[in-house]
Short mmCIF file of all heavy atoms in Angstrom, two decimals:
data_model
loop_
_atom_site.label_atom_id
_atom_site.label_comp_id
_atom_site.label_asym_id
_atom_site.label_seq_id
_atom_site.Cartn_x
_atom_site.Cartn_y
_atom_site.Cartn_z
N ILE A 587 86.62 103.08 149.67
CA ILE A 587 86.19 103.94 150.79
C ILE A 587 87.12 103.77 152.01
O ILE A 587 87.51 104.75 152.63
CB ILE A 587 84.71 103.65 151.15
CG1 ILE A 587 83.84 103.88 149.90
CG2 ILE A 587 84.23 104.55 152.30
CD1 ILE A 587 82.38 103.51 150.03
N THR A 588 87.49 102.54 152.31
CA THR A 588 88.35 102.34 153.49
C THR A 588 89.73 102.97 153.27
O THR A 588 90.25 103.65 154.16
CB THR A 588 88.48 100.84 153.82
OG1 THR A 588 87.16 100.32 153.96
CG2 THR A 588 89.21 100.61 155.11
N SER A 589 90.33 102.78 152.08
CA SER A 589 91.67 103.40 151.86
C SER A 589 91.56 104.91 151.95
O SER A 589 92.50 105.57 152.41
CB SER A 589 92.26 103.09 150.49
OG SER A 589 91.84 101.90 149.99
N ARG A 590 90.43 105.45 151.50
CA ARG A 590 90.24 106.90 151.58
C ARG A 590 90.26 107.34 153.05
O ARG A 590 90.91 108.33 153.41
CB ARG A 590 88.89 107.24 150.94
CG ARG A 590 88.56 108.69 150.92
CD ARG A 590 87.15 108.89 150.37
NE ARG A 590 86.93 108.07 149.18
CZ ARG A 590 85.72 107.81 148.69
NH1 ARG A 590 84.63 108.29 149.26
NH2 ARG A 590 85.60 107.06 147.61
N LEU A 591 89.57 106.56 153.89
CA LEU A 591 89.55 106.89 155.32
C LEU A 591 90.95 106.81 155.91
O LEU A 591 91.35 107.65 156.72
CB LEU A 591 88.60 105.93 156.06
CG LEU A 591 87.11 106.17 155.82
CD1 LEU A 591 86.29 104.99 156.35
CD2 LEU A 591 86.66 107.47 156.49
N LEU A 592 91.71 105.81 155.47
CA LEU A 592 93.07 105.65 155.99
C LEU A 592 93.96 106.82 155.55
O LEU A 592 94.82 107.28 156.30
CB LEU A 592 93.67 104.32 155.56
CG LEU A 592 92.92 103.07 156.09
CD1 LEU A 592 93.58 101.79 155.58
CD2 LEU A 592 92.84 103.06 157.62
N GLY A 593 93.72 107.31 154.35
CA GLY A 593 94.45 108.48 153.85
C GLY A 593 94.13 109.70 154.72
O GLY A 593 95.02 110.48 155.07
N TYR A 594 92.86 109.84 155.05
CA TYR A 594 92.43 110.98 155.88
C TYR A 594 93.03 110.85 157.28
O TYR A 594 93.51 111.83 157.87
CB TYR A 594 90.90 110.99 155.92
CG TYR A 594 90.31 112.14 156.72
CD1 TYR A 594 90.58 113.47 156.39
CD2 TYR A 594 89.44 111.89 157.79
CE1 TYR A 594 90.02 114.52 157.12
CE2 TYR A 594 88.88 112.94 158.52
CZ TYR A 594 89.18 114.25 158.18
OH TYR A 594 88.62 115.30 158.89
N GLU A 595 93.04 109.63 157.79
CA GLU A 595 93.62 109.39 159.12
C GLU A 595 95.11 109.80 159.13
O GLU A 595 95.59 110.48 160.03
CB GLU A 595 93.50 107.91 159.49
CG GLU A 595 94.11 107.59 160.85
CD GLU A 595 94.04 106.11 161.20
OE1 GLU A 595 93.75 105.28 160.32
OE2 GLU A 595 94.28 105.78 162.38
N ARG A 596 95.81 109.41 158.08
CA ARG A 596 97.23 109.75 157.98
C ARG A 596 97.42 111.26 157.94
O ARG A 596 98.35 111.81 158.57
CB ARG A 596 97.78 109.10 156.71
CG ARG A 596 99.25 108.90 156.74
CD ARG A 596 99.65 107.77 155.83
NE ARG A 596 101.09 107.65 155.85
CZ ARG A 596 101.75 106.69 155.24
NH1 ARG A 596 101.10 105.75 154.57
NH2 ARG A 596 103.05 106.64 155.29
N PHE A 597 96.54 111.92 157.19
CA PHE A 597 96.59 113.39 157.12
C PHE A 597 96.41 113.99 158.52
O PHE A 597 97.16 114.89 158.93
CB PHE A 597 95.50 113.90 156.17
CG PHE A 597 95.18 115.35 156.33
CD1 PHE A 597 96.03 116.32 155.82
CD2 PHE A 597 94.04 115.76 157.03
CE1 PHE A 597 95.75 117.68 156.00
CE2 PHE A 597 93.76 117.11 157.21
CZ PHE A 597 94.62 118.07 156.69
N LEU A 598 95.42 113.47 159.28
CA LEU A 598 95.17 114.02 160.63
C LEU A 598 96.36 113.75 161.55
O LEU A 598 96.75 114.61 162.35
CB LEU A 598 93.90 113.41 161.22
CG LEU A 598 92.57 113.80 160.54
CD1 LEU A 598 91.41 113.06 161.18
CD2 LEU A 598 92.34 115.32 160.60
N ASN A 599 96.94 112.58 161.38
CA ASN A 599 98.10 112.22 162.18
C ASN A 599 99.26 113.16 161.94
O ASN A 599 99.95 113.58 162.88
CB ASN A 599 98.54 110.81 161.77
CG ASN A 599 98.42 109.86 162.93
OD1 ASN A 599 98.63 110.26 164.08
ND2 ASN A 599 98.09 108.61 162.64
N GLN A 600 99.49 113.48 160.67
CA GLN A 600 100.67 114.27 160.31
C GLN A 600 100.44 115.77 160.43
O GLN A 600 101.37 116.54 160.34
CB GLN A 600 101.09 113.91 158.87
CG GLN A 600 101.56 112.47 158.74
CD GLN A 600 101.75 112.02 157.29
OE1 GLN A 600 101.39 112.74 156.36
NE2 GLN A 600 102.30 110.84 157.11
N ASN A 601 99.16 116.18 160.56
CA ASN A 601 98.87 117.61 160.56
C ASN A 601 97.96 118.01 161.74
O ASN A 601 96.80 118.39 161.53
CB ASN A 601 98.19 118.01 159.24
CG ASN A 601 99.08 117.74 158.05
OD1 ASN A 601 99.97 118.52 157.74
ND2 ASN A 601 98.85 116.60 157.40
N PRO A 602 98.52 117.95 162.96
CA PRO A 602 97.67 118.29 164.11
C PRO A 602 97.11 119.71 164.02
O PRO A 602 96.05 119.98 164.59
CB PRO A 602 98.63 118.14 165.31
CG PRO A 602 99.98 117.87 164.76
CD PRO A 602 99.87 117.51 163.34
N ASP A 603 97.80 120.62 163.28
CA ASP A 603 97.28 121.98 163.17
C ASP A 603 95.92 122.04 162.47
O ASP A 603 95.20 123.02 162.57
CB ASP A 603 98.30 122.88 162.44
CG ASP A 603 98.78 122.27 161.13
OD1 ASP A 603 98.94 121.03 161.08
OD2 ASP A 603 98.97 123.02 160.16
N TRP A 604 95.59 120.98 161.75
CA TRP A 604 94.28 120.96 161.06
C TRP A 604 93.17 120.37 161.93
O TRP A 604 92.01 120.42 161.56
CB TRP A 604 94.38 120.19 159.73
CG TRP A 604 94.83 121.08 158.60
CD1 TRP A 604 96.08 121.19 158.08
CD2 TRP A 604 94.02 122.05 157.90
NE1 TRP A 604 96.13 122.13 157.09
CE2 TRP A 604 94.86 122.69 156.95
CE3 TRP A 604 92.70 122.46 158.00
CZ2 TRP A 604 94.40 123.69 156.10
CZ3 TRP A 604 92.23 123.45 157.13
CH2 TRP A 604 93.08 124.06 156.20
N HIS A 605 93.52 119.82 163.08
CA HIS A 605 92.48 119.25 163.94
C HIS A 605 91.50 120.36 164.32
O HIS A 605 91.89 121.50 164.56
CB HIS A 605 93.09 118.65 165.21
CG HIS A 605 93.91 117.42 164.92
ND1 HIS A 605 94.38 116.57 165.89
CD2 HIS A 605 94.35 116.90 163.74
CE1 HIS A 605 95.07 115.59 165.33
NE2 HIS A 605 95.07 115.78 164.02
N ASP A 606 90.24 120.00 164.33
CA ASP A 606 89.19 120.94 164.73
C ASP A 606 88.88 121.98 163.64
O ASP A 606 88.02 122.82 163.82
CB ASP A 606 89.62 121.66 166.03
CG ASP A 606 88.39 122.04 166.84
OD1 ASP A 606 87.33 121.42 166.62
OD2 ASP A 606 88.48 122.97 167.66
N LYS A 607 89.64 121.92 162.52
CA LYS A 607 89.41 122.95 161.49
C LYS A 607 88.87 122.34 160.20
O LYS A 607 88.59 123.05 159.24
CB LYS A 607 90.74 123.65 161.17
CG LYS A 607 91.31 124.42 162.34
CD LYS A 607 92.42 125.36 161.84
CE LYS A 607 93.12 126.03 163.00
NZ LYS A 607 94.08 125.14 163.68
N VAL A 608 88.79 121.04 160.16
CA VAL A 608 88.34 120.38 158.92
C VAL A 608 87.33 119.29 159.28
O VAL A 608 87.45 118.64 160.34
CB VAL A 608 89.56 119.81 158.14
CG1 VAL A 608 90.30 118.75 158.93
CG2 VAL A 608 89.13 119.22 156.79
N THR A 609 86.35 119.08 158.40
CA THR A 609 85.40 117.98 158.60
C THR A 609 85.25 117.22 157.29
O THR A 609 85.13 117.84 156.23
CB THR A 609 84.00 118.51 159.02
OG1 THR A 609 84.17 119.34 160.16
CG2 THR A 609 83.05 117.37 159.33
#
Side-chain angles (χ1 to χ4, degrees):
I587 302 174
T588 306
S589 331
R590 181 185 315 164
L591 286 168
L592 298 179
Y594 182 58
E595 179 182 13
R596 202 155 178 174
F597 163 77
L598 292 177
N599 243 326
Q600 294 170 352
N601 298 280
D603 50 324
W604 273 100
H605 292 191
D606 210 21
K607 296 194 186 77
V608 62
T609 306

